[in-house]
Amino acid sequence: MTSTTSHRSSAAERASSGERRTADPTGPIPVPAAGAPRLDVPAVAEALLGDWAQARRASRERARDPRTHRPLDMTVAQHRDQVRAQMRRLADARVSLPMLPESLGGPNDNGANVAAFEELVLADPSLQIKAGVQWGLFTAAILQLGTEQHHRAWIPDAMSLALPGAFAMTEIGHGSDVQSLATTATYDIDAEEWVIHTPFRAAWKEFLGSAAIDARAATVFARLITQGVDHGVHCFFVPVRDEDGKLLPGVRSEDDGPKGGLNGIDNGRLAFDQVRVPRTNLLNRYGDVAPDGTYSSPIESPGRRFFTMLGTLVQGRVSLDGSSVRAAQLALHIAITYASQRRQFTAASPTEETVLLDYQSHLARLLPKLAATYAGAFAHEELLHAFDDVFSGRGDTPEAREDLETLAAALKPTSTRLALDTIQECREACGGAGFIAENRLVGLHQDLDVYATFEGDNTILLQLVAKRLLTDYRHELKSIDRAGIGRFIAQRADVLARRHTPWHRLVQTASDAGSAQRSSQTLRDAEFQEALLADRARIKVEEVALALRAAGRMSPADAAALVNKHQVEMLDAARAHADLVLWRAFSAGVARFEDPGTRAVLTDLRDLFGLTLVAEDLAWFLLDGMLSAQRGRQVSADIRRLLWRLRPHALDLVAAFDLAPEHVRAPIALGGEARRQEEAAAHLRAQRASTSAPISEKALRDARRGR
Amino acid sequence: MTSTTSHRSSAAERASSGERRTADPTGPIPVPAAGAPRLDVPAVAEALLGDWAQARRASRERARDPRTHRPLDMTVAQHRDQVRAQMRRLADARVSLPMLPESLGGPNDNGANVAAFEELVLADPSLQIKAGVQWGLFTAAILQLGTEQHHRAWIPDAMSLALPGAFAMTEIGHGSDVQSLATTATYDIDAEEWVIHTPFRAAWKEFLGSAAIDARAATVFARLITQGVDHGVHCFFVPVRDEDGKLLPGVRSEDDGPKGGLNGIDNGRLAFDQVRVPRTNLLNRYGDVAPDGTYSSPIESPGRRFFTMLGTLVQGRVSLDGSSVRAAQLALHIAITYASQRRQFTAASPTEETVLLDYQSHLARLLPKLAATYAGAFAHEELLHAFDDVFSGRGDTPEAREDLETLAAALKPTSTRLALDTIQECREACGGAGFIAENRLVGLHQDLDVYATFEGDNTILLQLVAKRLLTDYRHELKSIDRAGIGRFIAQRADVLARRHTPWHRLVQTASDAGSAQRSSQTLRDAEFQEALLADRARIKVEEVALALRAAGRMSPADAAALVNKHQVEMLDAARAHADLVLWRAFSAGVARFEDPGTRAVLTDLRDLFGLTLVAEDLAWFLLDGMLSAQRGRQVSADIRRLLWRLRPHALDLVAAFDLAPEHVRAPIALGGEARRQEEAAAHLRAQRASTSAPISEKALRDARRGR
């Protein structure tokens, strides 16, 4: 299929040359009826590649190389060797150069850098994460937390892989609560050295990529102690192995061994027994110690200083968001292609079996995930822009950083959850074939599994989002004037009234006027969807804020207990916020297309996304008086109608993911199933035409009975 | 921990000797307050082991042997070798003897046989399934579908593993639709032989355990063709390899290669090129061919004959149901033990971090799964009894068989789904530690994954359940007399009225009388819960039946389209039925305990199960007028209250699963975490007591400001 196509060809070129990647040429391709709206696949493909399309294309090109592909049956040791060799190639190709600022010879193109890394998930998620550890964490820590001397000393070797490194933040005892890390770095005035020390087993650095074998150095997060004062967690550059890979004196390491996935990475533990490094090994951008032991920092508040240092690491969350969307796209490409060719059971026709994707339940399990994946792709592009603006320095304000961190904290849990759920749904939708390793889905699930808990555990991140929303809400309350407060109270009274008024009597009833048709149209109205999702996001925050308003006057223990009693609601409010962000990004994405067919199809898909969100929380909308019973009953019927409307566009919608056969690799999605179906159908056709073919016992009995 | 305990000791003995398996002795064990109700752990453990406790204990004893344990880092070939060696040991120990009837020297104890196999999931799911293929499918097909000559000829060797076999039903092209299998067995009168043939690629037998390497013979499902008539799918005994493991002439085989899990099994494909076997190799209990080619069967209808043959294979679904419950128990044991010891973040206390299980969101993710797992265990015991009654011959009527098949079809999808979701939730709840292979959760997910789609795809099974419910509903309608029809119409009118009446005005409003307290009490009332779940199950079937009533007068194509338009609702009705079965089994299980403390705790857990089911479908209950808005708002608050009430019993509830350390194996659940926490706490205590410990910058700043 690709032999006639240049490796650099775009979706546009392939589409214009009549080549379709999603379907086997021998198989039937259900297409939209003539005259019906139709997706402009190349245009959508281009939009999904986004503003860093070139970087993505170059990286996808690399991901076609079989040497980069996740193995199906290797020991942990063999897989690590393979990934190590591929890292070498990435380093030689200087793929992370875009992350470097001009002062270090790079283009300072952070968006391109992250975009390129995200695409590596198509080759092997182990390679993506191993590269992420080396350049996105270890090198980035030196770059972001260090100063010029550190950049000069270590970044060239870190970039070239002459200096493989680990990022030693997490400890066995503290992953989510980084502020409580227990490793210490105590300043010795006489020697002008730091003494790095692991005081107990729970303080061992844990789950560190490259720590088991490869790392020669580590960026170690430890409590900075000087002149008897603990200044909290700072980052230190600590050599851990010599040129021969032997551990340096005082450094201990253990191998994490086999994991659920990502087995191409040598994760491991590190511990330090009074290990000494020079004073200047403190990465001192946000905190420094003079030779005499005096501590200084450009940020006075220890809390804000800590969060500023941590904030420089948002890149990991950004790239996991992007690669999760990509993994979900790959899974959907495989499952939807297969479901368009695979047939099972005859009911509609005595001679032709039904294609899986024509079953309502099959559409219902796959298309809402497809819609959510589109939402995720558009939202990720916005996140990547926010990231690039801040890290390029173009829009680097404290507010922009905080917004970026909140956005990343909202999207990373949503997209990693979506990826895992989508991959699992796709795997089950492919039946036994989905369980065979060469069809990719099981391996994707194994690797992506940990995306939900590393680089910020999903629950913890959603809690961060909730806290930010609550803070914003309190600021909003503080900043409004007397008239505003009056309006606010009136508004709240309205909400409370709705909650205690029979909800069928509300405004909607009048406008619905008993017409299911009208009710249905309104639910598919974009403004109405947005209002539902925006009101929900706001009210959920308000409800938590109201429930917690007494906490300020309580003892810390009582306040903590009160907050804990509302933790599930807090997480729920954060999810509602993320849903709104995704819905808006999807809508904004659709609005950028001018072709009416494309807009029509993508609007249906956006509606499916919006209505699925409403359906998943329907009881809340009913109980909060935001939907009448009549409209409530309409939601699932509307969703089912959208599934059928979108059915003819399913293959186009996955074609726009623009995945090459070398990215897909799953035999069930590369024509194998279509060929088998065609061969079987031909055999059965010949048999029906033959006079010597056996007649079925049932047909014989029916004939004898004169039926 | 176990060195002082005999391997045969029961939970009762361990409890009386003060030994607790779930918690490390050095760690704090949160226990219910003095005087509060408390679970009688040994009694519950005994009840969960059920009526075949002895068989389960013997099998668990075997599962302690390290040689049986799922490996963490092996190639597929190595894992297969290990499982093969363990199969040898199972055969030598004659573990499947209980499946044989008295005529073949067995005790005909089918319940004990299945119970024992289920427990093997604790050792290695590959071993469970490999054994299931050999004895539960291959041998059972000979036993159930064959007659005395076949039993004598092959069963002794199949039992002893002298004759390893494959069960060749599924084809690449037909898994769920067994009736459409394409392999043919054509009778050759002259030679008095069957000619087994694979007509095209899609007809290759696929995903067969033991087919890639081990199988010497296969029970092959093929269309029986004699005298020019196709009598549909029958089962044939076909040798496939010689003593040296070389494929016999005309037989082809391919290896399925690495899979998502269960890699200890050599799954593969088989194809037959005009392979000849004697006439008597037809397993002829339900259909036979005389030497002259005349077909005969004790069951006249080809359809009923086919489903009778298939029905003999229900055992696989029964055992997957049981082993899924066991796997979910193991995952919960690991995650809840860890969550009881793991601490993170200080909020309630400046010096002590909070135990994970004390966070509301952590309880909310684990305890509902724990409740559902209890429901699954009690329901499985009922299923196993139904199975044993039929297969022992004590209660083998067509109605009992049909009920058994429906029950298995309802429970297998529910428990396999529960297991996968529970394992995944547990894996994420353990953070990074949950991703490390030695902590078991990732391996369990990998292996259990395919339980959702093999031995009857979950979607297909739920569809079977829905069809059965619809048939029952139509029979019910037909069988009621005129007065009954009058009552029925009145009842339906009531339902319709509720659906179109503001639901807050209904009966409940009067009884609620505005009191949240009372509303809450009623929701926890068992009769009310049962009424909700039973009404839902009934109404959902009725609604589908009403929607489909026109199908009978339609063309097949139109009828199929109409049914397909309601497929999601059909599956939903089947799930509602399964939920009701589970809820009732749980309630019946609780009622069997006499100890008031045990009843109180398990009633709370049953309520959590019931209310979670209601919460998950709350919008439906609201829209159908079955719950008032007031009660609807109460559900989530009630659930949260139950989480806190059950919190002190969480460890007791997993202790009743009675898993030995050799079954658990996960270091994070065997005291490692508790020891680390204790060591860290001691270090920090010593530091606080010391005068030379560093003071924090924040404390210093606060002190300077005079705070």
Side-chain angles (χ1 to χ4, degrees):
Chain A
M1 255 179 93
T2 52
S3 55
T4 60
T5 315
S6 137
H7 274 191
R8 288 270 168 183
S9 72
S10 68
E13 288 160 11
R14 279 194 308 279
S16 64
S17 71
E19 183 197 10
R20 283 180 62 110
R21 281 183 161 175
T22 45
D24 184 83
T26 65
I29 304 171
V31 292
R38 175 116 196 227
L39 203 73
D40 180 347
V41 174
V44 177
E46 205 57 38
L48 289 176
L49 280 173
D51 286 340
W52 287 277
Q54 206 186 339
R56 293 193 189 280
R57 284 214 182 84
S59 186
R60 286 188 181 197
E61 198 49 47
R62 232 170 260 122
R64 295 167 89 133
D65 185 336
R67 290 172 300 176
T68 68
H69 294 169
R70 185 191 198 273
L72 300 179
D73 182 25
M74 274 189 184
T75 60
V76 168
Q78 292 167 333
H79 191 186
R80 286 174 176 181
D81 284 344
Q82 173 175 311
V83 168
R84 204 173 280 128
Q86 295 317 308
M87 282 292 290
R88 186 71 270 145
R89 294 182 61 237
L90 293 182
D92 292 347
R94 304 183 70 193
V95 293
S96 1
L97 189 67
M99 74 183 266
L100 293 187
E102 290 81 352
S103 61
L104 290 164
N108 195 23
D109 191 349
N110 290 284
N113 182 55
V114 168
F117 275 104
E118 289 168 2
E119 302 297 329
L120 290 178
V121 80
L122 296 170
D124 182 352
S126 284
L127 183 57
Q128 185 212 349
I129 301 302
K130 179 91 175 174
V133 166
Q134 177 66 21
W135 296 302
L137 291 172
F138 171 69
T139 311
I142 301 170
L143 183 64
Q144 301 288 338
L145 302 177
T147 47
E148 213 196 322
Q149 52 172 336
H150 306 123
H151 299 167
R152 276 199 317 270
W154 301 310
I155 284 187
D157 282 353
M159 295 298 285
S160 73
L161 262 190
L163 178 66
F167 180 78
M169 186 157 81
T170 294
E171 295 174 359
I172 298 176
H174 291 97
S176 296
D177 184 7
V178 177
Q179 224 161 351
S180 298
L181 293 177
T183 302
T184 51
T186 309
Y187 186 61
D188 176 346
I189 298 185
D190 299 332
E192 293 193 12
E193 283 175 341
W194 294 104
V195 182
I196 313 289
H197 187 62
T198 306
F200 42 77
R201 179 74 201 178
W204 275 61
K205 296 293 176 182
E206 171 63 304
F207 307 136
L208 320 177
S210 299
I213 299 173
D214 292 350
R216 297 286 158 85
T219 46
V220 177
F221 289 76
R223 319 196 71 78
L224 185 159
I225 296 164
T226 179
Q227 299 175 334
V229 178
D230 177 344
H231 291 275
V233 172
H234 288 64
C235 188
F236 300 81
F237 182 93
V238 183
V240 297
R241 285 188 179 85
D242 64 18
E243 291 296 305
D244 302 324
K246 231 182 101 225
L247 286 169
L248 294 174
V251 180
R252 294 174 64 190
S253 174
E254 290 175 356
D255 196 320
D256 280 332
K259 305 184 296 293
L262 298 183
N263 275 312
I265 306 168
D266 56 316
N267 289 77
R269 308 176 195 111
L270 287 176
F272 305 94
D273 182 10
Q274 314 282 355
V275 171
R276 288 176 168 265
V277 296
R279 178 185 68 88
T280 50
N281 277 27
L282 167 63
L283 299 175
N284 61 347
R285 178 168 168 194
Y286 295 109
D288 202 2
V289 164
D292 70 355
T294 310
Y295 180 83
S296 64
S297 167
I299 304 175
E300 205 188 355
S301 152
R304 201 157 67 77
R305 188 191 310 145
F306 169 76
F307 285 109
T308 304
M309 286 195 250
L310 237 60
T312 58
L313 307 167
V314 73
Q315 174 172 324
R317 289 170 194 170
V318 174
S319 68
L320 291 192
D321 181 57
S323 51
S324 294
V325 170
R326 192 68 70 245
Q329 288 176 342
L330 174 56
L332 286 163
H333 177 111
I334 293 168
I336 288 179
T337 304
Y338 181 66
S340 305
Q341 298 172 356
R342 173 76 175 174
R343 294 171 180 274
Q344 202 79 171
F345 290 109
T346 52
S349 151
T351 55
E352 197 176 40
E353 293 170 298
T354 305
V355 155
L356 290 196
L357 201 55
D358 283 339
Y359 287 107
Q360 187 188 46
S361 70
H362 218 78
L363 287 172
R365 67 201 293 188
L366 295 179
L367 293 202
K369 301 269 190 264
L370 180 65
T373 299
Y374 265 80
F378 287 118
H380 177 68
E381 184 73 5
E382 291 187 2
L383 175 61
L384 196 53
H385 271 278
F387 165 73
D388 188 62
D389 284 350
V390 167
F391 276 70
S392 71
R394 277 193 309 281
D396 187 4
T397 65
E399 295 71 33
R401 279 200 178 248
E402 213 180 334
D403 286 347
L404 167 63
E405 286 161 29
T406 306
L407 187 59
L411 292 181
K412 183 264 179 183
T414 324
S415 56
T416 53
R417 173 87 278 134
L418 174 70
L420 271 185
D421 291 348
T422 300
I423 295 164
Q424 185 64 28
E425 195 72 63
C426 289
R427 140 48 214 133
E428 294 177 30
C430 293
F435 192 60
I436 300 299
E438 65 176 4
N439 288 322
R440 303 288 306 279
L441 297 164
V442 288
L444 274 180
H445 192 280
Q446 288 166 16
D447 290 333
L448 272 281
D449 189 358
V450 78
Y451 285 36
T453 52
F454 74 1
E455 293 288 319
D457 175 87
N458 282 359
T459 303
I460 303 293
L461 291 180
L462 289 173
Q463 211 157 292
L464 283 180
V465 172
K467 281 182 186 160
R468 169 72 190 269
L469 294 172
L470 287 169
T471 307
D472 285 356
Y473 176 76
R474 285 191 206 105
H475 283 168
E476 207 181 289
L477 271 199
K478 275 186 199 150
S479 67
I480 51 179
D481 57 14
R482 193 170 285 266
I485 288 176
R487 277 198 305 278
F488 174 78
I489 289 169
Q491 192 188 30
R492 289 309 79 209
D494 175 51
V495 168
L496 286 173
R498 273 195 283 174
R499 294 203 53 175
H500 296 284
T501 302
W503 40 269
H504 75 286
R505 289 218 201 107
L506 289 172
V507 204
Q508 289 171 30
T509 316
S511 64
D512 287 358
S515 149
Q517 175 65 19
R518 228 166 122 191
S519 154
S520 152
Q521 281 177 343
T522 327
L523 271 172
R524 296 203 44 216
D525 180 86
E527 283 176 33
F528 186 57
Q529 281 175 43
E530 180 164 30
L532 281 178
L533 297 173
D535 283 357
R536 179 180 67 147
R538 184 176 50 78
I539 293 172
K540 288 198 173 189
V541 170
E542 280 177 8
E543 287 179 341
V544 176
L546 286 170
L548 299 185
R549 66 192 184 282
R553 299 184 302 273
M554 288 177 169
S555 72
D558 288 347
L562 182 65
V563 169
N564 195 25
K565 267 195 179 165
H566 295 276
Q567 195 193 10
V568 167
E569 290 159 76
M570 282 175 69
L571 298 173
D572 202 34
R575 280 189 206 98
H577 172 79
D579 286 344
L580 177 63
V581 169
L582 285 158
W583 188 93
R584 284 181 171 157
F586 198 160
S587 298
V590 174
R592 282 191 292 273
F593 292 100
E594 296 189 357
D595 171 52
T598 300
R599 280 179 86 136
V601 175
L602 288 185
T603 300
D604 279 351
L605 196 67
R606 193 278 322 273
D607 288 348
L608 178 61
F609 177 64
L611 293 190
T612 302
L613 292 178
V614 172
E616 284 167 357
D617 209 6
L618 185 56
W620 187 89
F621 286 104
L622 293 172
L623 290 174
D624 228 73
M626 292 179 60
L627 276 181
S628 66
Q630 190 182 356
R631 279 191 183 160
R633 284 197 197 96
Q634 204 57 41
V635 176
S636 61
D638 269 359
I639 288 176
R640 275 176 228 141
R641 256 195 299 275
L642 283 167
L643 294 176
W644 292 116
R645 285 164 63 103
L646 285 163
R647 166 67 185 94
H649 307 284
L651 284 175
D652 281 348
L653 286 164
V654 295
F657 296 154
D658 201 22
L659 299 171
E662 297 87 344
H663 300 137
V664 176
R665 305 200 287 279
I668 51 166
L670 292 175
E673 183 61 25
R675 274 189 297 277
R676 282 192 296 263
Q677 294 279 348
E678 184 45 45
E679 185 200 350
H683 177 93
L684 295 173
R685 268 195 308 274
Q687 211 173 35
R688 282 194 300 276
S690 144
T691 49
S692 62
I695 179 168
S696 87
E697 179 186 339
K698 184 169 180 305
L700 201 65
R701 292 161 61 93
D702 290 351
R704 279 188 194 141
R705 286 190 196 142
R707 284 194 199 165
Chain B
M1 256 179 93
T2 51
S3 57
T4 60
T5 313
S6 139
H7 274 191
R8 288 269 168 184
S9 73
S10 68
E13 289 161 9
R14 279 194 308 279
S16 65
S17 71
E19 183 197 10
R20 283 180 62 112
R21 281 181 161 177
T22 46
D24 185 82
T26 65
I29 305 170
V31 292
R38 176 119 197 225
L39 203 73
D40 179 348
V41 173
V44 177
E46 205 57 39
L48 288 176
L49 280 173
D51 286 340
W52 287 277
Q54 207 185 338
R56 293 193 189 281
R57 284 214 182 85
S59 186
R60 286 189 181 197
E61 198 47 48
R62 231 170 259 122
R64 296 167 89 133
D65 184 337
R67 292 172 297 176
T68 68
H69 293 169
R70 185 191 199 275
L72 301 178
D73 182 25
M74 274 188 184
T75 60
V76 167
Q78 292 167 333
H79 191 185
R80 288 172 176 181
D81 284 344
Q82 173 176 310
V83 168
R84 204 172 281 129
Q86 295 318 308
M87 282 292 289
R88 186 72 267 144
R89 293 183 62 238
L90 293 182
D92 292 347
R94 306 182 70 193
V95 294
S96 356
L97 189 67
M99 74 183 267
L100 293 188
E102 289 81 353
S103 61
L104 290 164
N108 195 24
D109 190 349
N110 289 283
N113 182 55
V114 168
F117 275 103
E118 289 168 1
E119 302 297 328
L120 290 178
V121 80
L122 295 171
D124 181 352
S126 284
L127 183 57
Q128 185 212 348
I129 301 301
K130 179 92 176 175
V133 167
Q134 177 65 22
W135 296 301
L137 291 173
F138 171 68
T139 311
I142 301 170
L143 184 64
Q144 301 287 338
L145 302 177
T147 48
E148 212 195 320
Q149 52 173 336
H150 305 123
H151 300 168
R152 274 200 317 270
W154 299 311
I155 284 187
D157 282 354
M159 294 298 285
S160 73
L161 262 189
L163 178 67
F167 180 78
M169 186 155 81
T170 295
E171 294 174 359
I172 298 176
H174 291 97
S176 295
D177 184 8
V178 177
Q179 224 162 350
S180 298
L181 292 176
T183 301
T184 51
T186 310
Y187 187 61
D188 176 346
I189 296 185
D190 299 334
E192 293 192 13
E193 283 176 340
W194 294 104
V195 182
I196 313 289
H197 187 63
T198 305
F200 42 75
R201 178 74 201 178
W204 274 61
K205 296 295 177 182
E206 171 64 303
F207 307 135
L208 319 177
S210 299
I213 299 173
D214 292 349
R216 299 283 158 87
T219 46
V220 177
F221 288 77
R223 318 195 70 80
L224 186 159
I225 297 165
T226 180
Q227 299 177 332
V229 177
D230 176 343
H231 291 276
V233 172
H234 288 63
C235 188
F236 301 81
F237 182 93
V238 183
V240 296
R241 285 188 178 85
D242 65 17
E243 290 296 306
D244 302 325
K246 232 184 101 222
L247 286 169
L248 294 174
V251 179
R252 292 173 64 189
S253 174
E254 290 175 356
D255 197 318
D256 280 331
K259 304 183 297 292
L262 298 184
N263 275 313
I265 306 168
D266 56 316
N267 289 79
R269 307 177 195 110
L270 288 175
F272 305 93
D273 182 11
Q274 315 281 356
V275 171
R276 288 176 169 265
V277 296
R279 178 184 67 88
T280 50
N281 276 27
L282 165 63
L283 299 175
N284 60 348
R285 179 167 167 193
Y286 295 109
D288 202 3
V289 162
D292 70 354
T294 312
Y295 180 82
S296 64
S297 167
I299 304 176
E300 204 189 354
S301 151
R304 202 159 65 76
R305 187 190 311 143
F306 170 76
F307 285 109
T308 303
M309 285 195 251
L310 237 60
T312 58
L313 306 166
V314 72
Q315 174 172 324
R317 289 172 194 169
V318 174
S319 68
L320 291 192
D321 181 57
S323 51
S324 294
V325 170
R326 192 68 71 245
Q329 288 176 342
L330 174 56
L332 286 163
H333 177 111
I334 293 168
I336 288 178
T337 304
Y338 181 66
S340 305
Q341 298 173 356
R342 174 75 174 174
R343 294 170 179 274
Q344 202 79 171
F345 290 109
T346 53
S349 152
T351 55
E352 198 176 39
E353 293 171 299
T354 305
V355 156
L356 291 195
L357 201 56
D358 283 339
Y359 288 106
Q360 188 189 46
S361 69
H362 219 79
L363 287 173
R365 67 201 293 188
L366 295 180
L367 293 202
K369 301 270 191 261
L370 180 65
T373 299
Y374 265 80
F378 286 119
H380 176 67
E381 184 73 7
E382 291 187 2
L383 175 61
L384 197 53
H385 271 279
F387 165 73
D388 188 62
D389 284 350
V390 167
F391 277 71
S392 70
R394 277 193 307 281
D396 188 3
T397 64
E399 295 71 32
R401 278 200 178 249
E402 213 180 333
D403 285 346
L404 167 64
E405 285 161 28
T406 306
L407 187 60
L411 292 181
K412 183 265 180 185
T414 324
S415 56
T416 53
R417 174 87 277 133
L418 173 69
L420 270 184
D421 291 349
T422 300
I423 295 164
Q424 185 65 28
E425 194 71 64
C426 289
R427 144 41 218 137
E428 294 177 30
C430 292
F435 193 58
I436 301 299
E438 64 176 4
N439 288 323
R440 304 288 305 280
L441 298 164
V442 289
L444 274 179
H445 192 280
Q446 288 166 16
D447 290 333
L448 272 282
D449 189 359
V450 78
Y451 286 36
T453 52
F454 73 1
E455 295 286 320
D457 176 87
N458 282 359
T459 303
I460 302 294
L461 290 180
L462 289 173
Q463 211 157 292
L464 282 180
V465 172
K467 282 183 184 158
R468 168 72 190 269
L469 294 172
L470 287 169
T471 307
D472 285 356
Y473 176 75
R474 285 191 206 103
H475 283 168
E476 207 181 289
L477 271 197
K478 274 186 200 149
S479 66
I480 50 178
D481 57 14
R482 193 170 286 265
I485 288 176
R487 277 197 305 277
F488 175 77
I489 289 170
Q491 192 189 30
R492 290 307 80 211
D494 174 51
V495 169
L496 286 174
R498 275 194 283 174
R499 295 202 51 174
H500 296 282
T501 303
W503 41 268
H504 74 287
R505 288 216 203 109
L506 287 171
V507 203
Q508 288 170 32
T509 318
S511 65
D512 287 358
S515 149
Q517 175 64 20
R518 226 164 124 193
S519 155
S520 152
Q521 281 178 342
T522 327
L523 272 172
R524 295 204 45 216
D525 179 88
E527 282 177 31
F528 187 57
Q529 281 175 43
E530 180 165 29
L532 282 178
L533 296 173
D535 283 358
R536 178 179 68 145
R538 184 176 50 78
I539 293 172
K540 288 198 172 189
V541 170
E542 280 177 9
E543 288 179 342
V544 176
L546 286 170
L548 298 184
R549 66 193 183 282
R553 299 184 302 275
M554 289 177 169
S555 72
D558 288 347
L562 182 65
V563 169
N564 195 25
K565 268 194 179 167
H566 295 276
Q567 194 193 13
V568 167
E569 290 159 77
M570 281 174 72
L571 298 173
D572 202 34
R575 278 188 208 99
H577 171 78
D579 286 344
L580 176 64
V581 169
L582 285 158
W583 188 93
R584 284 181 171 157
F586 198 160
S587 297
V590 174
R592 282 192 293 272
F593 291 100
E594 294 188 359
D595 170 52
T598 300
R599 280 179 88 136
V601 175
L602 288 184
T603 300
D604 278 352
L605 196 67
R606 195 277 323 272
D607 287 349
L608 178 62
F609 177 64
L611 293 190
T612 302
L613 293 177
V614 171
E616 284 167 356
D617 209 6
L618 186 56
W620 187 88
F621 285 105
L622 293 172
L623 290 174
D624 228 74
M626 292 179 61
L627 275 183
S628 67
Q630 190 182 356
R631 278 192 183 159
R633 285 199 195 95
Q634 204 57 41
V635 176
S636 60
D638 269 359
I639 288 175
R640 275 177 229 141
R641 255 196 298 276
L642 282 168
L643 295 176
W644 291 116
R645 284 164 64 104
L646 285 163
R647 165 68 185 93
H649 307 284
L651 284 175
D652 281 348
L653 287 163
V654 295
F657 297 154
D658 200 21
L659 300 171
E662 297 88 344
H663 300 135
V664 176
R665 306 202 286 280
I668 51 165
L670 291 175
E673 183 60 24
R675 273 189 298 277
R676 282 192 295 265
Q677 294 280 350
E678 183 45 45
E679 185 200 349
H683 178 92
L684 296 172
R685 267 196 306 276
Q687 211 172 37
R688 282 195 299 276
S690 144
T691 49
S692 60
I695 179 169
S696 88
E697 180 186 338
K698 186 170 178 303
L700 200 64
R701 292 160 61 93
D702 290 352
R704 279 187 194 140
R705 287 189 196 143
R707 282 192 200 167

